[in-house]
Amino acid sequence: MPPKVRKAVFPVAGLGTRFLPATKAMPKEMLTVVDKPIIQYAVEEAVKAGIEEFIFVTGRGKEAIENHFDRSYELEQTLLNRQKEELYDIVTNIIPASARIFYTRQGEALGLGHAVHCAKALIGNEPFAVLLPDDIIYSEGDNPLEEMINLYQDTGQSITLTMQVPEEHCHRYGIVDIEAQRGRAIVAKNFVEKPKENAPSNLACVGRYIFTPEIMNVLDKQKPGAGGEIQLTDAMTTLLKQQGFNAWVLDGRRFDCGDKAGMQKANFFFAMQRQEIKQELTEFIAELGYTKQLTKMDNAS
Ligand code: G1P
């Protein structure tokens, strides 16, 4: 049986230029969706999937992430003194006390493949997950990362999470060339990073992966690809030829919080999951009358 997936890598070194000026002095991973930073969504998902070691690949100006996952004795004491037990529980349960957390730096922004490779020494000879925090994954069913780990346990092969995207959006993603499909499990025969045209399918990689440790050996030698960056997707194609590679189709939603509209959608969606906010938001939307205005605009065009 393949070894257990205990480790996860979170690439968090990106500059977040799309969210300037908000990200001038604050990491983009600390931008909030409702009341939690986006990085916390990915970490909670990993915790639920049984991950024990959390490896953050950070860069300059990302100290707020380290502080977020660390104890804050002054704040904890103040909350206790003021008898704010609920808030005390929230700030002390951001990550389980048993979690082992590591930070390593990506000195230069050379691409996602390079960021993952920065964790090589911490990964050693174990399979591991990669979670891109820009992608918030929501599922009413089982935790997709856990499903991927289960598939890995069955096959011993690497896996990427995927979803169908409209053809005109394929150029934004790594796209899977499909060999065979059984239910939600797909055998890949190739990957193409951000195809400008002739995408082999409309099945796009989204930011969750399980890798065998051999991906690091491939990344050792990976040359720059699309956009002049060391691409994870290119290394995946090489690994596929050596060991095979699977894709798992998401049954749920993915919010692209690396994008302004995607970020607002995530805020709206997760706010509507919260009973204490839902009513007020619903009334506000009705008051704005956006639905009516949009119908008018549609009719005019
Ligand atoms: C990265 C990957 C791409 C993947 C995407 C998912 O791209 O390179 O293959 O489809 O994440 O979010 P990025 O969004 O960092 O440009």
Side-chain angles (χ1 to χ4, degrees):
M1 188 151 156
K4 196 167 175 270
V5 181
R6 300 184 310 118
K7 301 184 179 188
V9 174
F10 301 82
V12 292
L15 289 177
T17 47
R18 269 187 257 177
F19 283 97
L20 282 168
T23 48
K24 184 172 174 235
M26 184 174 74
K28 68 167 175 175
E29 297 78 13
M30 292 301 290
L31 295 175
T32 49
V33 167
V34 190
D35 52 9
K36 278 193 285 195
I38 63 170
I39 182 67
Q40 197 177 325
Y41 287 83
V43 165
E44 285 178 0
E45 187 188 327
V47 169
K48 279 195 205 123
I51 297 296
E52 298 161 10
E53 284 189 19
F54 300 76
I55 302 164
F56 295 89
V57 180
T58 78
R60 292 167 63 84
K62 299 283 181 167
E63 297 77 14
I65 298 176
E66 299 186 29
N67 292 335
H68 186 70
F69 291 105
D70 201 358
R71 299 293 296 268
S72 174
Y73 293 105
E74 237 178 288
L75 175 64
E76 288 170 23
Q77 201 50 55
T78 310
L79 292 172
L80 281 182
N81 293 348
R82 295 188 187 164
Q83 279 143 29
K84 304 258 186 213
E85 277 85 15
E86 214 176 298
L87 290 177
Y88 174 85
D89 285 347
I90 288 174
V91 300
T92 49
N93 286 307
I94 286 174
I95 196 162
S98 59
R100 284 185 298 279
I101 309 175
F102 301 89
Y103 296 94
T104 185
R105 281 207 179 200
Q106 183 187 19
E108 282 175 284
L110 298 179
L112 179 59
H114 178 256
V116 171
H117 189 246
C118 289
K120 184 178 179 185
L122 292 164
I123 291 297
N125 199 26
E126 284 192 36
F128 62 102
V130 171
L131 293 90
L132 309 186
D134 277 359
D135 287 346
I136 296 189
I137 304 293
Y138 173 85
S139 171
E140 278 172 9
D142 293 336
N143 175 353
L145 189 66
E146 206 174 330
E147 293 176 328
M148 291 167 72
I149 291 176
N150 291 340
L151 183 61
Y152 167 77
Q153 296 297 343
D154 289 346
T155 62
Q157 291 171 324
S158 300
I159 305 157
T160 171
L161 187 61
T162 55
M163 66 175 195
Q164 301 283 344
V165 298
E167 210 171 315
E168 63 274 21
H169 291 174
C170 284
H171 67 96
R172 299 182 190 167
Y173 300 94
I175 301 291
V176 185
D177 194 353
I178 299 169
E179 169 84 45
Q181 173 155 15
R182 215 173 70 198
R184 290 168 61 203
I186 286 171
V187 178
K189 71 170 169 210
N190 195 14
F191 298 104
V192 189
E193 179 67 5
K194 307 202 168 93
K196 292 199 175 76
E197 53 196 5
N198 302 328
S201 74
N202 63 349
L203 196 66
C205 298
V206 289
R208 302 292 182 269
Y209 309 86
I210 307 293
F211 289 114
T212 59
E214 286 77 20
I215 190 79
M216 294 299 192
N217 304 337
V218 177
L219 285 168
D220 281 343
K221 301 180 218 91
Q222 190 60 55
K223 299 262 173 347
E229 296 192 343
I230 298 177
Q231 295 290 353
L232 185 60
T233 310
D234 295 343
M236 284 160 55
T237 302
T238 307
L239 191 67
L240 180 155
K241 290 184 185 127
Q242 295 170 1
Q243 304 186 327
F245 208 117
N246 299 312
W248 181 246
V249 181
L250 170 65
D251 178 15
R253 286 179 184 276
R254 168 256 189 186
F255 295 93
D256 180 4
C257 294
D259 169 83
K260 282 178 199 167
M263 184 76 173
Q264 298 316 316
K265 285 185 198 171
N267 265 292
F268 180 72
F269 182 84
F270 285 99
M272 291 295 280
Q273 307 284 313
R274 302 273 283 266
Q275 283 316 314
E276 75 277 19
I277 314 178
K278 188 177 176 180
Q279 181 65 28
E280 208 171 311
L281 260 189
T282 312
E283 284 166 15
F284 182 59
I285 292 159
E287 180 198 320
L288 290 174
Y290 278 163
T291 336
K292 249 186 268 157
Q293 284 174 23
L294 288 177
T295 321
K296 252 190 244 160
M297 275 160 54
D298 283 349
N299 290 342
S301 61

